Amino acid sequence: MSEPILDVRDLVVEYPTPAGPFRAVDDVSFAVAAGSTLAVVGESGCGKSTIARSLVRLLTPTSGSILLGGRDIARLGERHLRPLRPRIQMVFQDPYGSLDPRLSAAEIVGEPLRLHGVRSRTERTREAAALLDRVGLPAHALDRRPAEFSGGQRQRIGIARALASRPEVLVCDEATSALDVSVQAQVLALLREIQRESSLTYLFISHDLAVVREISDQIVVMRKGSLVERGPTERVLAAPGHPYTRALRAAALDPSTTRGRKPRAATATTAGGAVR
Ligand SMILES: Nc1ncnc2c1ncn2[C@@H]1O[C@H](COP(=O)(O)OP(=O)(O)O)[C@@H](O)[C@H]1O
Ligand SMILES: [Mg+2]
């Protein structure tokens, strides 16, 4: 692999609990080549979001390093972190909960631009419009608030907001999991198109192997905080080496489980009568 854009080494994350520290991520290492997509898969609770939150430094890991373009950001203080934050951005699972309901789409997408020094409001609106157009939203979307959009459209706004920082790495934490299968496919297609255009690197977190098969080059499989398998997506899914990966794959193929690509029922996050 050429020099990885993201190189995670011996990552440990512990949460304080009344019963003592709980180790949610236990000595995890992986690297992601620039312009490629690494999927992190595993059951609910295995530590995927904890990794995501560490990478974008919403939390500080207990130990280990996170090399972003060769620079270790794992334990950097906020002052040194701030200029690096734009380089690695996150798209969250719940596009509703992660978008301020009081702001218009233009303001939501414009906010990172403001933080990154685009002072003129007119200029921010112009850039926000270009970003919303890039993620496939119409011009009239600019003045609307999150509640006026469908789940898929809200996720597009979340992607536009992340892109506003001109990141090199995008961490997508279950970014399409709350969406209907058809909407999910559209958002995945958009992510792929953006990657083709701008050679973004993705860390794509999902519990859904069907989605992961479509989007990723490499996979790491997590179980209870540890990494149990890694390799090229095709190889790992065609011939899993670890019993746990085989079990995950069997569950994904079994239509009686919720891990298959069944259409999901509308969830609370899509309430409000918005069309998808
Ligand atoms: N703030 C927290 N305090 C204590 N335990 C937590 C906290 N956040 C997550 N956990 C625990 O850490 C483990 C990993 O959680 P998470 O990273 O959210 O997993 P995933 O995203 O794979 O579902 C789970 O057992 C979860 O209950
Ligand atoms: Mg999670």
Side-chain angles (χ1 to χ4, degrees):
M1 179 170 17
S2 57
E3 184 77 358
I5 179 83
L6 184 66
D7 192 353
V8 174
R9 295 183 190 167
D10 311 321
L11 189 71
V12 174
V13 184
E14 291 178 345
Y15 291 111
T17 75
F22 171 74
R23 190 168 280 215
V25 175
D26 190 5
D27 205 14
V28 164
S29 301
F30 57 82
V32 196
S36 75
T37 298
L38 175 76
V40 180
V41 306
E43 283 175 344
S44 178
C46 71
K48 303 183 299 294
S49 293
T50 303
I51 290 180
R53 292 163 58 79
S54 302
L55 296 181
V56 300
R57 284 299 312 278
L58 287 172
L59 59 78
T60 301
T62 308
S63 62
S65 52
I66 298 169
L67 301 168
L68 178 65
R71 177 98 188 263
D72 189 2
I73 61 164
R75 302 187 64 80
L76 276 187
E78 191 54 42
R79 191 165 63 85
H80 295 289
L81 203 50
R82 195 169 301 129
L84 300 173
R85 284 195 183 278
R87 299 179 59 182
I88 181 161
Q89 288 286 308
M90 176 117 112
V91 179
F92 296 87
Q93 165 165 15
D94 172 5
Y96 201 46
S98 65
L99 304 179
D100 188 331
R102 297 162 304 179
L103 300 183
S104 70
E107 289 166 327
I108 289 168
V109 176
E111 179 62 11
L113 298 170
R114 193 181 64 75
L115 290 176
H116 304 139
V118 181
R119 292 231 168 73
S120 132
R121 195 189 172 87
T122 317
E123 183 54 28
R124 286 201 299 272
T125 303
R126 187 167 33 233
E127 281 199 40
L131 283 160
L132 289 172
D133 180 60
R134 187 177 186 197
V135 298
L137 288 173
H140 65 249
L142 276 170
D143 299 322
R144 308 214 167 152
R145 290 174 214 288
E148 298 178 68
F149 293 99
S150 67
Q153 288 172 326
R154 286 199 285 262
Q155 206 48 303
R156 288 172 192 267
I157 296 171
I159 293 167
R161 176 178 58 183
L163 293 178
S165 301
R166 300 178 199 250
E168 292 151 77
V169 180
L170 205 55
V171 178
C172 301
D173 187 3
E174 304 276 10
T176 64
S177 302
L179 306 174
D180 278 341
V181 166
S182 63
V183 179
Q184 191 174 66
Q186 290 163 15
V187 173
L188 288 174
L190 171 67
L191 287 171
R192 263 200 305 259
E193 185 186 306
I194 290 167
Q195 187 172 50
R196 246 199 330 272
E197 286 169 6
S198 57
S199 71
L200 256 177
T201 304
Y202 290 147
L203 192 94
F204 194 90
I205 294 175
S206 180
H207 64 280
D208 186 333
L209 294 185
V211 166
V212 156
R213 169 174 283 143
E214 278 183 44
I215 193 126
S216 66
D217 304 300
Q218 301 273 324
I219 289 189
V220 297
V221 181
M222 303 258 314
R223 185 187 193 189
K224 293 181 182 165
S226 296
L227 208 158
V228 296
E229 181 159 13
R230 75 176 82 215
T233 302
E234 278 304 312
R235 204 275 294 150
V236 171
L237 293 184
H242 192 281
Y244 176 67
T245 314
R246 285 199 283 277
L248 266 188
R249 192 181 65 150
L253 296 173
D254 178 354
S256 73
T257 71
T258 52
R259 281 187 216 97
R261 296 200 71 199
K262 290 190 304 185
R264 280 155 208 267
T267 61
T269 60
T270 61
V275 286
R276 295 166 145 229

